[in-house]
Amino acid sequence: MHATTFIKFEHSNIHNSNNYFVEFIVVSLCLCLTASYCIMPLIIHQSLPYSHDMLFHVFQADQFSRGIAGGSLYPRWMADANEGLGSPTFIFYSPFSYYIVAIIHLVVPSFRESMTIAIWFSFFLSGLTMYAAVRKTCGKDASLLCAIIYQILPFHLLDLYARGTFAELYAYVWGPLVLLSLLQIHHAKKPFWPLIGLSASFSGLILTHLVTGYMLTCAIGLYIVYVLITQKERQFPLFSALGVIIGFGISSFYMIPVIFERIYVHIDYITKCTVCDYTKNFIFDLNNISDRFYQWLHISVTIELTVFSLIASKFFNKYELNCQQSKQGLLCCAPFILSFFLTTPISAPIWLFIPGFPSLQFPWRWILLMELFFCTTIASYFNRMQFSKYRVYLLTFIPLAIISATIIFKASLFHKELITSLENPIQNSKNTIAWEYVPIWASAPRQTIMNSGKEKMGVISGNASVRITEWHPEKREGYVDAATCSKIKVSTFYYPGWKLFVDGKETSLNIQDRSGLMMFDVPQGKHEFVIVFTDTELRRTAKIISVIALIMVMCFAIFVTLHSAIVRSLSK
């Protein structure tokens, strides 16, 4: 009897594994087709969209790849920025998406094709993670529909074709995984694996797009407070907060320098420049009606609000407002409504009150979270409503598909505005100056950058000649032959971490007034010099914290696995 039962159980497991494998293949093929559809203009025209920030991200991805090729595992210095004077951009900008391009570029010679493939993967993976997040909630069919909707949502496409925010495209990948981990923590009796999942996905989001990570942290914090107040439950708030904290720990090698080194750059530019003033970037503001980008935003958000309202009304007509189903529905709706509220002018007092909100620059960034909660809400409703699912599918899918197809079609019509020369992004560096990351020692950065020449090193005083033997993004070597005591200028902005070694001994670096460029003195004679960008004590400490957090997670995962195996063996 026991042997027969075991054989049946084993056969059932094999059958289920085969079913899951077939399901994964079918879903992956569907999402591959949708991802290809989303980037079709890029494939047809063999180019990238000439959108708001695309040149900026192309240049940064190129610099990151060059930094890795120069021997740095985690490049922090962007050598060719600011007309060759350099920038500590990668200390402040999340690196994950650029690692993807760098890895693809190892096997794909064309940089443009590497970027295109990376963009395709962002759409494909976002659909796959959304499918995984809602699979248990609403079944195979509805999950696939929600995943496809998540890929073709208007703001998702506008991020590519209008905004060109390459890193934010990958933020769509992590959001569903964070929500899935939170849902599993809420319902599991012993949520140890969901805790690990939340730590990994949250740190992935931080390392991909810090702004989205901050916004989702606010949403998670509000939900934890809600559970504490209304349900008086301790497990979910404890494990959720712990998962977020561990996620911060894993990403400390990036986060800690971001927090503590802001004082070394002109970071206030992101809130003081005219374009990035949040008070001028609310949607449904009469001052923005004539702008074409805002017109697309208004149309997209209006359609999403309409679809959301129709589905929500169907749901709440089905249930009494005080029943458990209705309360769960309200809980799904709340983050969507709150995210929409924060995009409108009436939320201005909140933006002024909450620390960090003005640094988000654009209130319509919250549309990303709107669309995340839009899909999870649809998934929840599909699982609970009794009326014809096909009607709901059509009601949801058709208007979104129409506006998405229009965006892609418009991108095809305006293909003459696409970038056609991307194989040498340094040529476009004059368009990729990020003023907020210029070091504070450059008190007149515009004048310094405009007057910068092609000379990498020069003699300011004395009689000497300089010969450069190597010039890598984070390391420069050469010789100085000084007939007299001389002062040498390096056409690179100073930033903490740059160190000078003359004849093998560390020597102090000086900073030129106003320009913020590095200088050093050499005595008479022939000297070998090495200038290298190293980790400061703060950055080394941050790396140690990340390693400790990662080891803790790995040890915890091993412990949970062994514990589960022992429990299963004893139960037999």
Side-chain angles (χ1 to χ4, degrees), residues 353-407:
F353 176 74
I354 299 181
F357 264 42
S359 297
L360 298 179
Q361 301 171 308
F362 310 111
W364 36 260
R365 286 186 189 273
W366 286 93
I367 298 176
L368 191 154
L369 261 65
M370 272 182 62
E371 296 189 332
L372 174 63
F373 294 120
F374 177 76
C375 287
T376 54
T377 301
I378 289 174
S380 177
Y381 291 164
F382 283 172
N383 185 48
R384 294 184 175 93
M385 288 188 287
Q386 301 299 319
F387 63 92
S388 171
K389 287 187 176 180
Y390 292 104
R391 285 173 53 195
V392 182
Y393 294 170
L394 294 176
L395 178 70
T396 306
F397 184 74
I398 290 177
L400 295 172
I402 290 173
I403 187 66
S404 299
T406 306
I407 292 172

